[in-house]
Amino acid sequence: MACADISQSTVAERNVGMIDFDRIYDRHQFGSVKWANQWDEFSPRIEGEDLLSLWTADMDFRAPETVIARLREAADHGIYGYTRRDPRHYEIVQSWFARRHDWSPALESLLPAPAIMPSVAAMLRTFTKPGDGVIVQSPIYSPYFEVIQGNGRKLLVNRLRLQNNRYELDLENFEKLAAGARAFLFCNPHNPAGKAWTRQELTALNDVCERYGILVISDDIHCDIRLSDRPHIVFSSLSEDAAEKSFICTAPTKTFNLAGVPSATVSVANKERREALLATMQASFMVNANFFGRLALEVAYSTGAPWLDQLTRYIGGNVDLVLKFAEDRLPGITPMRPDASFLVWLDARGLDRKVGGVQRFFVDRAGVNLYDGRVYGPGGEGYIRLNVGCPRPLLRRGLERMSMALESL
Ligand SMILES: Cc1ncc(COP(=O)(O)O)c(C=O)c1O
């Protein structure tokens, strides 16, 4: 029984001890996108001897031991047939969000999802029509552009305002766009900047969306790794009307480094919309659970908290290292301190102009692959995104190489 297994795991997790996040593992053998430096067959492969990969958003850490042990048991069992999420599955999801984020979604509001982005696509197809406007706030996680435009909806970009190296909402422009929009695809916390939105900001967004009858698709995938004292506020927890208009998308995949064994959950408070979304997902055969993904979610949420707390401290240390190192030894680069996630957004606009493309410069001259800010749309030009979800010795090596490349300029 899942319950018994999980409570045994909890005992093991309590005795977790200090986790060695410094240890470096070779990830090439299992087809890692990050270490192949290649996203898919359509994007150009970045070649290079000994290239350090600090770009796409997964981490170079092993998942919690309890998750590994249970997946190993399941792998050893050897029969990987159809799998179902039972009611306990949703209780585990609810309990995680109640404990970690003071948000207790009604059990009946929770829908199963294979991952975040396919669910977002299903929402757009269900609740908007071809040509309808969908707002995003750029710079932003680039698959948002693809999911909107790829499904024939109109992309409406509200650029975030840069103030004192922090992003702020442009509410005035948001309201202008809202007049021609049907939905808002919201990243909470924000990727690439790692900003946790405040209650005041969320309320202001909700007010505009309420006035214009806009649905809010909130992607909370980065909510669990909290680096500042800003809490994660779930959009639907703001008020009843916020809950009525919103879809809250959650997953343990960033939190516990499980992107290759995905499973996600969508909370939809409004009953009619929930049923409509489920119908779309069923018609697309999206609701069958993945054998390993379902299990990984349950074990991670049930037993992974002590691991996550250690991880969060480690990531916080990596962020501190980047900020200090940049100040001392990376002239022309200004990091933005994230409230959440394992991503650091680096302002390198002057340098970008000087070297004619800062991302390529660091690949060619430092052997470090970072994410090009241009990918994140308007406002991302001249920025680079650094993934600090990696062993500190590796991060330090990357920073040293970047510093040497800058010295040689
Ligand atoms: C903001 C955001 N949303 C969604 C995803 C991807 O989620 P999934 O793999 O569950 O579709 C990512 C991955 O980097 C992300 O950063």
Side-chain angles (χ1 to χ4, degrees):
M1 272 291 293
C3 277
D5 296 333
I6 284 163
S7 59
Q8 272 171 15
S9 303
T10 309
V11 174
E13 188 74 40
R14 277 201 203 103
N15 303 322
V16 69
M18 279 303 289
I19 298 155
D20 184 8
F21 289 113
D22 278 342
R23 187 154 165 202
I24 298 172
Y25 295 91
D26 182 354
R27 297 183 55 196
H28 288 89
Q29 59 178 324
F30 291 114
S32 160
V33 159
K34 186 178 182 183
W35 287 93
N37 290 298
Q38 185 175 22
W39 180 240
D40 55 35
E41 66 266 48
F42 305 111
S43 51
R45 185 186 165 93
I46 293 175
E47 301 281 359
E49 273 291 294
D50 190 25
L51 197 55
L52 271 183
S53 279
L54 303 175
W55 66 299
T56 204
D58 70 23
M59 302 190 280
D60 296 316
F61 306 125
R62 278 160 61 88
E65 270 310 318
T66 46
V67 175
I68 297 169
R70 190 72 179 121
L71 292 187
R72 188 180 290 131
E73 255 179 77
D76 281 346
H77 189 256
I79 303 171
Y80 313 127
Y82 290 120
T83 309
R84 76 188 189 96
R85 301 169 181 88
D86 62 16
R88 171 94 180 121
H89 182 89
Y90 300 100
E91 286 167 17
I92 289 170
V93 174
Q94 183 194 51
S95 161
W96 174 260
F97 283 92
R99 280 179 287 137
R100 303 295 292 195
H101 302 295
D102 200 20
W103 173 60
S104 194
L107 288 173
E108 69 273 13
S109 79
L110 299 175
L111 294 180
I116 302 280
M117 292 311 296
S119 330
V120 170
M123 289 166 212
L124 293 180
R125 289 202 300 271
T126 311
F127 303 108
T128 66
K129 295 192 297 298
D132 276 355
V134 182
I135 305 175
V136 299
Q137 305 202 95
S138 81
I140 192 68
Y141 177 61
S142 62
Y144 285 14
F145 304 133
E146 293 164 41
V147 77
I148 294 169
Q149 293 176 315
N151 284 287
R153 274 56 177 171
K154 188 169 161 201
L155 178 68
L156 301 175
V157 177
N158 185 39
R159 268 182 72 158
L160 293 167
R161 276 203 184 122
L162 195 58
Q163 265 168 22
N164 301 323
N165 199 31
R166 296 277 298 173
Y167 283 122
E168 304 296 339
L169 296 175
D170 184 344
L171 276 172
E172 225 171 280
N173 194 52
F174 187 86
E175 177 139 17
K176 274 188 209 148
L177 295 175
R182 174 68 185 131
F184 167 37
L185 179 48
F186 182 40
C187 197
N188 182 25
H190 183 75
N191 173 10
K195 172 166 170 148
W197 302 101
T198 64
R199 185 171 298 279
Q200 205 184 2
E201 288 166 325
L202 295 170
T203 305
L205 289 168
N206 183 43
D207 287 349
V208 179
C209 292
E210 184 66 22
R211 272 204 299 285
Y212 291 89
I214 290 175
L215 298 174
V216 177
I217 301 171
S218 180
D219 171 357
D220 294 28
I221 197 169
H222 287 288
C223 70
D224 290 316
I225 300 175
R226 287 173 41 199
L227 305 169
S228 77
D229 52 11
R230 279 200 177 178
H232 172 61
I233 303 173
V234 179
F235 190 87
S236 65
S237 72
L238 286 178
S239 61
E240 235 167 74
D241 63 84
E244 273 299 301
K245 68 167 81 59
S246 59
F247 301 81
I248 310 298
C249 309
T250 67
T253 40
K254 298 289 165 197
T255 314
F256 297 102
N257 207 25
L258 301 170
V261 279
S263 186
T265 317
V266 181
S267 170
V268 191
N270 179 287
K271 186 166 179 292
E272 288 75 45
R273 290 203 192 104
R274 186 164 68 240
E275 285 169 1
L277 179 59
L278 184 60
T280 302
M281 288 171 134
Q282 281 170 332
S284 303
F285 298 88
M286 284 167 62
V287 291
N288 276 355
N290 173 279
F291 181 82
F292 290 107
R294 174 202 72 101
L295 195 57
L297 178 150
E298 292 182 2
V299 184
Y301 278 161
S302 306
T303 68
W307 180 94
L308 176 59
D309 292 338
Q310 275 196 50
L311 172 90
T312 301
R313 282 193 290 278
Y314 191 85
I315 297 286
N318 278 1
V319 171
D320 288 344
L321 171 66
V322 170
L323 269 82
K324 178 86 180 67
F325 194 96
E327 197 178 332
D328 295 346
R329 298 189 42 205
L330 297 177
I333 293 189
T334 310
M336 197 177 274
R337 186 180 270 284
D339 298 309
S341 86
F342 48 85
L343 307 166
V344 186
W345 189 232
L346 308 175
D347 181 352
R349 284 174 292 174
L351 191 60
D352 186 68
R353 281 190 293 275
K354 187 167 164 186
V355 300
V358 67
Q359 191 267 347
R360 195 71 234 183
F361 170 79
F362 282 126
V363 169
D364 293 341
R365 304 278 287 272
V368 176
N369 189 17
L370 304 158
Y371 231 130
D372 191 333
R374 282 175 184 78
V375 168
Y376 300 82
E381 306 84 357
Y383 280 77
I384 32 179
R385 196 191 70 177
L386 169 65
N387 177 347
V388 300
C390 65
R392 197 161 301 153
L394 205 139
L395 176 63
R396 205 172 264 127
R397 203 185 307 159
L399 293 170
E400 288 285 348
R401 287 188 188 182
M402 288 164 69
S403 170
M404 274 160 53
L406 290 175
E407 274 170 26
S408 73
L409 264 182

